[in-house]
Amino acid sequence: MARDEQALRAAVEQSAAVLTAAGFPKMPARVLMALLVADEGGLTASELAESLGVSAAAISGGVRYLRSLGIIHRMPQPGSRREKWEIFDDAWYVALAGKNSVYGTFAATAAQALDAIGDADSAGARRTGEMVEFFRFIERKMPDLLQEWEALRDARLGEASDGVSRPPA
């Protein structure tokens, strides 16, 4: 099947909009999705700017943000002063694993707010308490989820290396 560039651009923008609605900054979301669907070798900053119809400065801010999360990296191009930006193959895993401590920090901060509310029976205390419990739950479960993902990924990669397709465990 031939690559449908128009449909791909629409999917990139729609996916970036979903990430933005979930709280991810808009330009990093657009850059992330553009790099995700890029052919091997990534994209230069000028290719990203052209693809997304934005300025080089917008790309610079987007890649700086994504790089700080450990999702993308810069690849020098032999014989050229230009560099390409590439997304790590395991970017989603890296992002979650690297931010795992955020769940505990967020729970602790919300617990401080809960203490400050004072009235344990108030609606605000109930909502805040629910948030504390949720993030503590996520923090406890995340290591097991990441281990499960690693096992699934390793099984899939093992299948790819021996050429035999097997159903997931």
Side-chain angles (χ1 to χ4, degrees):
M1 186 168 151
R3 187 175 171 109
D4 183 343
E5 293 296 333
Q6 186 175 357
L8 193 53
R9 276 192 299 277
V12 162
E13 292 302 330
Q14 289 170 347
S15 298
V18 169
L19 287 172
T20 301
F24 207 83
K26 183 177 181 178
M27 188 50 58
R30 293 182 72 209
V31 170
L32 174 64
M33 296 313 300
L35 289 172
L36 183 70
V37 302
D39 288 330
E40 295 225 13
L43 298 169
T44 65
S46 62
E47 290 169 335
L48 280 165
E50 182 181 333
S51 169
L52 297 174
V54 298
S55 70
I59 296 301
S60 177
V63 297
R64 186 173 39 254
Y65 182 85
L66 295 171
R67 194 169 182 205
S68 75
L69 297 178
I71 295 175
I72 65 170
H73 62 107
R74 188 175 21 208
M75 290 297 297
Q77 299 304 296
S80 172
R81 292 183 0 193
R82 289 189 162 184
E83 298 173 315
K84 289 193 175 189
W85 291 100
E86 292 182 348
I87 188 168
F88 286 108
D89 287 341
D90 59 355
W92 307 112
Y93 170 83
V94 168
L96 270 180
K99 290 195 155 271
N100 193 20
S101 65
V102 169
Y103 302 119
T105 302
F106 202 56
T109 303
Q112 290 174 347
L114 184 60
D115 289 343
I117 290 172
D119 179 5
D121 295 326
S122 73
R126 285 192 304 275
R127 288 189 302 268
T128 305
E130 177 84 10
M131 186 173 74
V132 170
E133 290 177 29
F134 173 75
F135 281 106
R136 285 184 178 154
F137 172 81
I138 295 294
E139 182 184 34
R140 282 191 314 271
K141 293 294 185 177
M142 191 55 66
D144 292 337
L145 287 172
L146 293 175
Q147 271 188 324
E148 184 178 344
W149 166 246
E150 287 174 359
L152 287 170
R153 183 191 62 205
D154 291 348
R156 186 187 77 235
L157 292 175
E159 292 169 13
S161 68
D162 66 13
V164 178
S165 180
R166 297 178 198 81

